[in-house]
Amino acid sequence: MKNLYLQKTTLLALGICALLTTNAHGQQSKPTTHQLKATPSTVAWGYYDAAAKPVLRIKSGDAVDVETLITNSPTRLEGAGVKPEDVEQSLRDIYKDVTNKGPGGHILTGPIYIEGAEPGDVLEVRIKKIDLAIPYAYNAFGATSGFIPEDFGYAKMKIIPLDKKKNVAHFAPGIDIPLKPFFGSMGVAPPPASGRVNSAPPGIHAGNLDNKELVAGTTLYIPVHVPGALFEVGDGHAGQGNGEVDITALETSLRGTLEFIVRKDMHLTWPRAETPTTYITMGIDEDLTKAAKIAVREMVDFLMKEKGLSHDEAYMLASVAADLDATQVVDGTRGAHMIIPKSIFKKTAKK
């Protein structure tokens, strides 16, 4: 019996090793980490589009080390006080060479084609790491943008130093803001019938969510609408307040590591997220009240399907234990999200 046990154990170990190595046909089973830099040939400037050509193809389970760029021009950055040598060369190259752009203004890295992703699936995006790429951010508002443009009939931009060592942004003398970097825009291509979609308003494709909860360690779930999903990422923020009321956050360039998993077992209408300590549902609409109702209904749906509660109990629990917040109120479509702590659920609860 002992020899039989050893034989079985050896065979199991060999089988696991075989899964993590290249097979006889040259097909690689072990997940790969790809590199994706921001260059004129690897960005989508201002749009999500089902017709966009992928710049990288990966397998489900693979990770990507990705570079993203600040949403601003070298000229404006220098005009606001950034030294010419502190403006990234990749940003200069993209502003010089990219002509296929708009209708939005975000420089998004991608799209990334994830093999096996099909309409109706969910793309699970695990945010493994996010790092600052430059030592500064900016915040700006315009004469007709932001939540209260009637109070500010002019434009202004401020360069804000980022102190990576102390992990703060030096906003002003005596005012330091803790750094919590996240990608403001992470999304997939919308349904083909939508055509080229402006990068500014978020939607069922996720996109410019501007959700400050999506920091490293968080997982974002996005419904897939086209083969390969066609994921794009950008709009780096070193930090942000809920609402993003003047239309910008601590806008900066970021580097990150994202892991992608195609979920055939999940089916969503709206993006959702999960942090190590919370579950997050989201709602998006031109009307903030309607966006908030979507976020609440999504939370009720989550609690019923994932935690086994009745319709009534889910609504009650959302009211007594979950927080409803305005994600952003300035991107054309408003965003709301609802957060519920994992700590209230015992281990016996359905996951």
Side-chain angles (χ1 to χ4, degrees), residues 3 7 37 43 80 117 126 165 177 212 214-215 301 327 333:
N3 289 337
Q7 289 175 0
K37 296 182 181 296
V43 297
R126 297 180 180 179
K165 186 175 181 180
I177 305 167
K212 72 173 188 174
L214 302 180
V215 296
D301 180 75
T327 318
T333 53

Side-chain angles (χ1 to χ4, degrees), residues 27-56:
Q27 295 175 328
Q28 196 174 44
S29 298
K30 183 179 179 179
T32 301
T33 298
H34 306 262
Q35 307 295 320
L36 185 58
K37 296 182 181 296
T39 71
S41 62
T42 63
V43 297
W45 188 332
Y47 62 87
Y48 287 90
D49 190 350
K53 183 179 179 180
V55 301
L56 177 66

Side-chain angles (χ1 to χ4, degrees), residues 125-128 213-220 273-276 280:
V125 183
R126 297 180 180 179
I127 306 165
K128 309 296 285 187
E213 304 296 331
L214 302 180
V215 296
T218 302
T219 299
L220 176 63
E274 180 179 348
T275 77
I280 305 172

